């Protein structure tokens, strides 16, 4: 079952002013992050009132056992997108909640992107965030997060904590990345979150544990047309990779941004010339009729990986104003490969965004 009443975070890009930072400084490759951070935590975990586009996004891989002893495996995503900022006191904006469950045990997928609320920003004293949309909530500070959401039909709900003790990864130049046709973006991630809690599965509580990932991204994006393929890879050896392949209106890759995160939380900016992704197959949506690349060979400076979708249909969809189905692909995936000459395995979420035009 799927929802067709929402929009992807990628389709919400709005026209903004460019951040006054030299583009050349962003494009210069380097082995590590700059010493002067563009992002300061936990203050920048909070909403940014002067920015009209911002999102907090979680994905995760969960395993649990129900009261009868049956094992269940799930992928999930939960994101809140902030748009339509209003210059009020306090500042307010339109928040869109997006929630999806990939049930790898049943082989089903369900998503709801239809939750909206125009409301004041909540900016906790001292930093952090506390976002709610119609009963869904995510809140946290300093790597300690809590997530709750449920579908109206009662099929699935989550109540999770997602915590990590290592620092957040500040991508690019201290948390500021080049963003292809859209200019620049502030961006950090919590890439090694230990998740635990409950998935309500058709009325049955399943106690779960697993790994999760948080992205927080905002910025003054330039108007333009494009899209991206994005990977959040979590290897069993404790290494994570964020890989962003941003393309222009023609589909040509215009920008590559990559970060390697070590088990202790330290980060390395990857040379974009040493990163690649090659589709190994494709899948055509029966709803939107879009053909998405699916399954990839991914290379980074110290390894080569095969990323395999754990389920083909993981496409949230919506209807345009003209009644035409549209969507994007956001999928739980598995990773196998070689890193520094040693075999490795892990998990991943991949997002594929078709072309869109930022107004």
């Amino acid at each position: 079952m799927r929802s067709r009443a929402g929009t992807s975070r990628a389709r919400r890009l709005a026209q903004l002013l460019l951040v006054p930072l030299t583009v050349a400084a962003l494009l210069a490759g380097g082995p590590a992050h700059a010493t002067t951070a563009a992002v300061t935590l936990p203050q920048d975990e909070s909403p940014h009132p002067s920015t009209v586009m911002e999102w907090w996004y979680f994905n995760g891989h969960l395993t649990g056992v129900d009261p009868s002893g049956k094992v269940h495996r799930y992928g999930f995503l939960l994101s809140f997108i902030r748009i339509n900022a209003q210059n009020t006191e306090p500042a307010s904006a339109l928040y869109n909640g997006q929630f999806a469950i990939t049930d790898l045990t049943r082989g089903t997928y369900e998503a709801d992107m239809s939750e909206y609320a125009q409301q004041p920003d909540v900016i906790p004293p001292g930093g952090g965030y506390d976002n709610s949309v119609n009963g869904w909530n995510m809140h946290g500070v300093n790597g300690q997060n809590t997530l709750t959401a449920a579908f109206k039909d009662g099929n699935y709900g989550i109540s999770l904590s997602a915590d990590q003790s290592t620092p957040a990864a500040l991508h690019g130049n201290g948390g500021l990345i080049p963003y292809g046709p859209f200019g620049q973006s502030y961006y950090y991630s919590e890439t090694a979150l230990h998740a635990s809690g409950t998935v309500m599965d058709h009325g049955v509580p399943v106690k779960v544990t697993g790994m999760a990932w948080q992205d927080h991204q905002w910025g003054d994006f330039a108007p333009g047309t494009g899209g991206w393929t994005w990977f959040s890879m979590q290897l069993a050896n404790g290494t994570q990779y964020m890989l962003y392949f941003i393309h222009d209106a023609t589909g040509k890759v215009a920008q590559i941004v990559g970060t390697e995160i070590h088990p202790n939380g330290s980060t390395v900016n990857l040379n974009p010339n040493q990163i690649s992704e090659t589709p190994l197959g494709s899948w055509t949506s029966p709803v939107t009729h879009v053909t998405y690349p699916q399954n990839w060979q991914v290379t980074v400076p110290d390894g080569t990986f095969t990323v395999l979708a754990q389920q083909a249909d993981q496409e949230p969809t919506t209807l345009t104003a003209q009644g035409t189905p549209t969507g994007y692909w956001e999928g739980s995936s598995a990773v196998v490969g070689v890193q520094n000459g040693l075999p490795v395995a892990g998990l991943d979420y991949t997002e594929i965004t078709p072309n869109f035009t930022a107004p």
Side-chain angles (χ1 to χ4, degrees), residues 137-274:
N137 177 264
M138 58 169 62
H139 66 269
V141 64
N142 289 326
Q144 312 298 298
N145 307 281
T146 301
L147 313 173
T148 57
F151 296 128
K152 291 184 177 70
D153 61 15
N155 284 347
Y156 297 97
I158 59 171
S159 178
L160 302 172
S161 62
D163 306 328
Q164 74 178 42
S165 58
T166 53
L170 307 184
H171 302 295
N173 190 355
L176 190 58
I177 67 169
Y179 209 30
F182 311 111
Q184 304 157 55
S185 177
Y186 294 97
Y187 182 24
Y188 71 87
S189 303
E190 293 171 351
T191 65
L193 293 165
H194 296 277
S196 63
T198 302
V199 172
M200 290 299 297
D201 184 339
H202 294 78
V204 177
V206 182
K207 297 295 183 182
V208 294
T209 59
M211 290 291 292
W213 178 295
Q214 184 198 183
D215 269 4
H216 184 191
Q217 192 166 346
W218 69 99
D220 295 334
F221 306 127
T225 299
W228 54 71
T229 298
W230 170 88
F231 298 89
S232 57
M233 298 171 56
Q234 298 169 307
L235 301 184
N237 65 11
T239 304
Q240 298 93 41
Y241 294 93
M242 186 289 299
L243 305 175
Y244 226 145
F245 299 86
I246 304 158
H247 62 78
D248 62 19
T250 70
K252 180 182 178 180
V253 174
Q255 191 76 59
I256 299 175
V257 181
T259 308
E260 179 175 347
I261 302 97
H262 299 148
N264 65 2
S266 63
T267 59
V268 173
N269 288 334
L270 300 178
N271 184 337
N273 296 322
Q274 296 180 303

Side-chain angles (χ1 to χ4, degrees), residues 11 13 17 38 61 73 120 131 167 180 226 230 257 281 288 294 309 334:
R11 294 182 180 274
L13 288 175
L17 298 175
H61 310 267
R73 294 190 304 126
N131 300 326
W230 170 88
V257 181
T288 64
Q294 193 167 91

Side-chain angles (χ1 to χ4, degrees), residues 36-56:
T36 301
V39 170
T40 301
L41 302 177
Q43 290 83 355
D44 277 324
E45 295 186 52
S46 304
H48 295 81
S50 63
T51 302
V52 302
M53 180 70 184
E54 181 168 15
W55 59 77
W56 298 256

Side-chain angles (χ1 to χ4, degrees), residues 14-99:
Q15 182 174 353
L16 305 167
L17 298 175
L18 285 173
V19 176
L21 187 77
T22 304
V23 174
L26 286 170
L27 297 178
H33 290 308
T35 55
T36 301
V39 170
T40 301
L41 302 177
Q43 290 83 355
D44 277 324
E45 295 186 52
S46 304
H48 295 81
S50 63
T51 302
V52 302
M53 180 70 184
E54 181 168 15
W55 59 77
W56 298 256
Y57 158 90
F58 285 84
N59 70 51
H61 310 267
L62 306 172
T63 301
V65 180
D66 68 23
S68 72
K70 182 179 179 180
V71 176
H72 296 258
R73 294 190 304 126
Y74 309 95
F76 80 91
L77 72 86
L78 179 65
S79 66
F80 285 176
I81 304 164
R82 179 188 183 275
I83 57 175
N84 192 34
Q86 303 294 309
N87 186 20
T88 56
E89 185 58 43
S92 67
L94 180 66
Y95 283 79
N96 169 222
Q98 305 187 358
F99 176 45

